Amino acid sequence: MEERNWMQLMTEQNQLSKVLDTNQYTEKFGLMLSEDDAKLLVRERREVLKAEQRVEFGEGILPRLIFAFCDSLYLCQDNYVDILGRLQEIFYLYKNEMMDEITDEELLEFMREQFDTVCFGDLDYLEGTCLDIFAQAIRVGYRGYHQTNGKGEMKKIDLVKRWDRGLFLQALSDLM
């Protein structure tokens, strides 16, 4: 068995408890995590943090992801654990891609809005299109999302009309 330090074990135990506590809220949406499901998600958290070379202190993003997405029409008990695992992975990837310029709340708001309104629950589209375009905008200096907390941003960065890099960069400079 892999030897881990006591601090990591305590952090994961705390994370497990916080994730299981979300069941009290999510059950009204028909969503529940078993202890095994929660352990899997906490284990995946550790692996994705390592893969993305991130360190996280405190509660972690998973309970906040759960609260942000649990009332989505695109979640059901059958896909709940898989979607949470993938959302967690996407979140940490794009925190890096956006060079930590965006707050957790802004990223969560953006992800949730796109997941429901543009992606219609399609995680590949969320990751490969919406978040990719938004990350590009942030890397070239776009900061308008601070005023909106991440809400309504894809309307400003039109996917179809501005995909051409030159048009995209011009549109961003117009917004700044």
Side-chain angles (χ1 to χ4, degrees), residues 135-146:
Q136 288 179 52
I138 289 171
R139 287 193 305 266
V140 298
Y142 176 65
R143 298 293 178 264
Y145 58 87
H146 289 307

Side-chain angles (χ1 to χ4, degrees), residues 25-73:
Y25 180 75
T26 63
E27 68 183 339
K28 66 182 168 187
F29 303 106
L31 302 171
M32 296 287 290
L33 293 170
S34 69
E35 187 168 341
D36 287 342
D37 293 337
K39 285 179 180 177
L40 173 68
L41 290 168
V42 169
R43 190 170 43 252
E44 287 176 354
R45 171 187 175 261
R46 178 178 8 105
E47 292 168 10
V48 75
L49 285 170
K50 185 176 180 181
E52 294 298 329
Q53 299 179 352
R54 296 192 65 83
V55 176
E56 187 174 62
F57 299 101
E59 180 178 279
I61 200 62
L62 189 54
R64 290 170 37 202
L65 271 170
I66 291 169
F67 289 126
F69 283 83
C70 67
D71 63 341
S72 172
L73 297 175

Side-chain angles (χ1 to χ4, degrees), residues 2-162:
E2 176 184 321
E3 186 176 322
R4 293 181 285 164
N5 66 41
W6 66 271
M7 196 154 169
Q8 183 179 11
L9 291 172
M10 292 294 293
T11 299
E12 288 182 6
Q13 189 61 30
N14 183 48
Q15 180 74 202
L16 179 64
S17 175
K18 297 284 186 189
V19 169
L20 287 171
D21 287 348
T22 64
N23 282 336
Q24 294 173 3
Y25 180 75
T26 63
E27 68 183 339
K28 66 182 168 187
F29 303 106
L31 302 171
M32 296 287 290
L33 293 170
S34 69
E35 187 168 341
D36 287 342
D37 293 337
K39 285 179 180 177
L40 173 68
L41 290 168
V42 169
R43 190 170 43 252
E44 287 176 354
R45 171 187 175 261
R46 178 178 8 105
E47 292 168 10
V48 75
L49 285 170
K50 185 176 180 181
E52 294 298 329
Q53 299 179 352
R54 296 192 65 83
V55 176
E56 187 174 62
F57 299 101
E59 180 178 279
I61 200 62
L62 189 54
R64 290 170 37 202
L65 271 170
I66 291 169
F67 289 126
F69 283 83
C70 67
D71 63 341
S72 172
L73 297 175
Y74 300 101
L75 282 180
C76 66
Q77 187 61 46
D78 291 340
N79 66 15
Y80 188 43
V81 175
D82 292 334
I83 287 179
L84 286 177
R86 184 85 187 282
L87 284 170
Q88 180 175 234
E89 188 178 307
I90 291 169
F91 177 88
Y92 290 123
L93 170 67
Y94 277 93
K95 280 295 282 188
N96 282 350
E97 289 293 314
M98 296 176 188
M99 303 179 306
D100 286 308
E101 290 290 331
I102 191 167
T103 67
D104 291 354
E105 291 76 24
E106 290 164 338
L107 182 53
L108 283 172
E109 180 69 38
F110 182 82
M111 287 174 64
R112 172 57 197 271
E113 182 178 56
Q114 301 320 300
F115 182 76
D116 281 349
T117 62
V118 175
C119 304
F120 302 103
D122 184 337
L123 291 169
D124 291 332
Y125 195 73
L126 175 66
E127 179 181 9
T129 303
C130 297
L131 283 164
D132 185 56
I133 290 170
F134 194 44
Q136 288 179 52
I138 289 171
R139 287 193 305 266
V140 298
Y142 176 65
R143 298 293 178 264
Y145 58 87
H146 289 307
Q147 298 161 353
T148 64
N149 201 32
K151 192 168 188 140
E153 291 301 313
M154 284 314 275
K155 292 175 188 169
K156 296 177 187 173
I157 305 168
D158 188 293
L159 294 176
V160 178
K161 294 179 186 170
R162 299 178 182 166

